[in-house]
Amino acid sequence: MKKRFYITTPIYYPSAKLHIGHAYCTTLTDIFARSKRERGFECYFLTGADEHGLKIQKNAEAKGVTPQQFVDEIVEGFYKLWDLLKISNDDFLRTTQERHIKVVQDAFTKMLNKGDIYLGKYEGWYCRYCEAFWTDTQVGKDHICPDCGREVQRAEEEAYFFKTNKYVSSLLKFYEDNPKFLIPESRKNEMINTFIKPGLEDLCVSRTSFSWGIPVRENNKHVVYVWLDALTNYISALGYGSENEEKYKKFWESEDCEIIHILGADITRFHAIYWPMFLESLGLRKPDREFVHGLLMMKDSKMSKSKGNVVDPYPLVEKYGVDAVRYYLAREINFGSDGSFSPEQFVERINSDLANSYGNLLNRTVSMINKYFEGKIPEYKGQVTEFDGSLESMIDNTIKSYENAMDDLRITEAITYVNELVNRANKYIDETTPWALAKDESKKDELASVMNHLARSIYVASRLYHPVLVCASDKAFTQLGLTEEEANYVNINNKNLLDNHMVNKGEPLFPRLDPLVEVPFINELMSGNN
Ligand code: MSP
C-alpha cells in the first residue's frame, strides 16, 4: 500500500497582511506536497489562520470593527495570496470555525479531568493600557511594555496551568527514540539546553484579561490561551472528536501516514515541546517530523509587520510571475537556514537559472528539431553518439538524488540537481555540435540521437521542476508535444516517451530581466512607496 502524508504549515495570524516570509513557509510546504502527489503518494496539505488573541482584539478595536469582521477581511487576503501563488492546500482551517472551537474545548476538558490542567495564579508584568501580561525578558530591566512603551506593573490574575513537568521525561525519551523528529538536529539541542534543562515552568493555558478567544467551558471568565487553541488546529481540521473522524483516522491515527509539520524557527518551542506534551496528555500520536526553516531577513533584521520592513509578495508575483517567485524562494534560500531577500539576487537567479539555462535549452532544442527534423522528435535508438551514455546516466542519477533530497525536505538541494542536469544538457549541445552534424548526411543518426536526448533531458528537468515551476513546466511539456497524461511522473524513466512527438515552438519561458530596470523597481516596492 502506498504511504500517505499529512503536511501542515503554521496557521498565520490575521493581524495584518502576510509578507514574503509567510509566503516562503507556505510555498516550500506546497513544493513538498506537490512533489509527493506528483510521484503518486496521497498527501493532505493543511494551512489556515490563527484568529484569536489580544493583538487581534486590539487591532479590531482601533479600526472600529468587531474582531470577527477584522479577521474576515484579512483572511480574504490570505485566500487571494495562496491562489496567486498556486498553493495546493486541501483545507484551510480558521480557529473561529465551529469545527475547531469544539475540539479545543473538549481537549481542555479532557486535560482538566485528567488533572493535567489546574487552576492557579498567573504572575507577571501587566500593562494597564494594553491589558496584557509580559515576561521579565519582554519588559527588560526598565519594565517597559514591548507593545506601547509605557511602564508596566507587577500583577497577578487567576489562570489555568498545564503541568509541563509531568511530561518532561517522556518528551526527552521521545526525542531519543525519534532522532528524526526535529530537523535540523541543532534545533533539538537548542530545545533541551535552552528550555528544558534550565527547568520548564507550568504553562499558563488561559487568560482573563481579554475576551477574544475560545471560552473555557468550565469557567467562562477565561479564554483558552492562544497557543493551546492554535496547535489543536492540526487535529481539529481532520475532524478529531467529531461525528466523522474518517480523515482523522486516515491522516493522523494511521501508521501508514507520515505527519509532517513545517514551521519557522521562532515557533519551534511551541511545536517541539508543548505540542507533543498536549498530544500525550490527550493520549494521541505525535507527529513524525517537524521541519524548522530559517527566517527571511531584510537588511539584516527580521522582516516583521511591526518593523515595517516587509516585502509584499503580491506585486512581486504580479510583475514577475508565480514561477519566478516560487523558484527564487526555494532555490536562493537554503531550506533550513536563515536567508535574506535581495532584489539583485532575485533578478540574477531568474536570469541565470531560468532564462539562460532552462528556458534557453528548451528554446534551442525546439528550434533545432524544427529545423533538422521538421518538428518531429526522432526516435530513441540507444546510445549513438559518444556523449549519450554519460547524459543518460546523469538523467538517472538526477532522478534518484532529487527524490532522496525531496524526501528529506532538502528542497534547495533537490532543485540544484535539476539545475545541474540542465547545465549538463546545455554542455551536451556544445560537445555534440549538432550544427556540424547537420552538415554531414552520414551523421544523420547521431543528429537524431542528440535531438532525442535533448528532448528527454528537458522533459525530465521539467517534470522535476514542476512542483516549483508550476506554470512553466507545463508550457515546456506542451512545446515538447506531450499531453498532460504523457507528461505524468510515471513516465519519467521511459526512454521512448518523446519518440515521434511534434514540437510546438512557443514564447520564451522566462524573458531576460534587465537588472538596471528591475532592481530599482523592486527596491521601490520594498520601500513601501508602491
Ligand atoms: N499563529 C502562530 C502560529 C501557530 S501554528 C499552530 C504564528 N503566526 S505568524 O503569522 O506570526 O507566523 C507564522 C509562520 O510564519 C511562522 O512559522 C513564522 O516563522 C513564519 N514567518 C514569519 N515571518 C517570517 C520570516 N520573516 N521568514 C520566514 N518565516 C517567517 O506564529
Side-chain angles (χ1 to χ4, degrees), residues 403-422:
E403 290 183 352
N404 287 336
M406 267 293 177
D407 288 346
D408 281 348
L409 283 146
R410 288 178 278 121
I411 296 178
T412 314
E413 190 180 321
I415 297 168
T416 61
Y417 292 128
V418 193
N419 295 350
E420 282 162 18
L421 172 62
V422 169

Side-chain angles (χ1 to χ4, degrees), residues 151-353:
E151 207 172 313
V152 290
Q153 279 85 37
R154 213 61 201 158
E156 55 178 37
E157 69 173 26
E158 181 189 89
Y160 286 94
F161 288 86
F162 179 82
K163 285 185 186 165
T164 43
N165 284 298
K166 183 171 164 190
Y167 293 104
V168 166
S169 55
S170 71
L171 180 71
L172 291 172
K173 180 156 187 329
F174 175 69
Y175 285 169
E176 219 174 286
D177 295 344
N178 299 279
K180 293 223 153 139
F181 168 64
L182 202 55
I183 330 169
E185 214 190 323
S186 55
R187 297 288 170 195
K188 184 175 80 188
N189 303 331
E190 182 193 332
M191 289 302 111
I192 297 176
N193 297 329
T194 319
F195 300 109
I196 302 176
K197 272 205 185 135
L200 277 180
E201 288 182 7
D202 284 353
L203 180 75
C204 179
V205 288
S206 82
R207 292 287 193 271
T208 53
S209 53
F210 61 90
S211 57
W212 181 238
I214 299 180
V216 170
R217 214 186 259 139
E218 291 75 8
N219 184 349
N220 59 19
K221 269 197 315 212
H222 292 250
V223 293
V224 177
Y225 173 53
V226 72
W227 274 99
L228 173 55
D229 171 351
L231 288 161
T232 309
N233 93 90
Y234 299 130
I235 50 176
S236 65
L238 296 177
Y240 165 69
S242 72
E243 271 163 30
N244 182 359
E245 280 201 321
E246 199 187 312
K247 268 193 221 130
Y248 172 75
K249 290 211 162 79
K250 193 168 165 190
F251 295 105
W252 196 279
E253 223 166 56
S254 160
E255 285 298 328
D256 288 329
C257 183
E258 185 171 341
I259 305 167
I260 306 174
H261 296 316
I262 311 271
L263 48 128
D266 53 337
I267 56 174
T268 319
R269 184 164 61 106
F270 298 100
H271 283 80
I273 297 179
Y274 300 120
W275 181 226
M277 288 183 174
F278 294 157
L279 287 167
E280 187 159 338
S281 172
L282 295 171
L284 305 180
R285 172 188 171 189
K286 299 181 184 73
D288 297 285
R289 280 195 274 174
E290 292 191 348
F291 186 91
V292 182
H293 64 75
L295 296 180
L296 263 188
M297 316 292 251
M298 264 298 308
K299 298 184 181 116
D300 298 330
S301 74
K302 190 186 155 194
M303 207 183 302
S304 78
K305 292 162 204 159
S306 47
K307 285 199 191 105
N309 62 349
V310 300
V311 178
D312 185 349
Y314 289 85
L316 213 57
V317 176
E318 269 158 9
K319 174 97 201 253
Y320 302 104
V322 59
D323 286 351
V325 175
R326 288 172 67 102
Y327 181 82
Y328 172 80
L329 293 176
R331 173 62 190 86
E332 185 67 30
I333 301 128
N334 189 20
F335 198 44
S337 319
D338 285 344
S340 58
F341 180 89
S342 136
E344 290 81 4
Q345 278 155 5
F346 180 82
V347 171
E348 164 66 21
R349 269 285 162 219
I350 309 311
N351 278 345
S352 70
D353 298 3

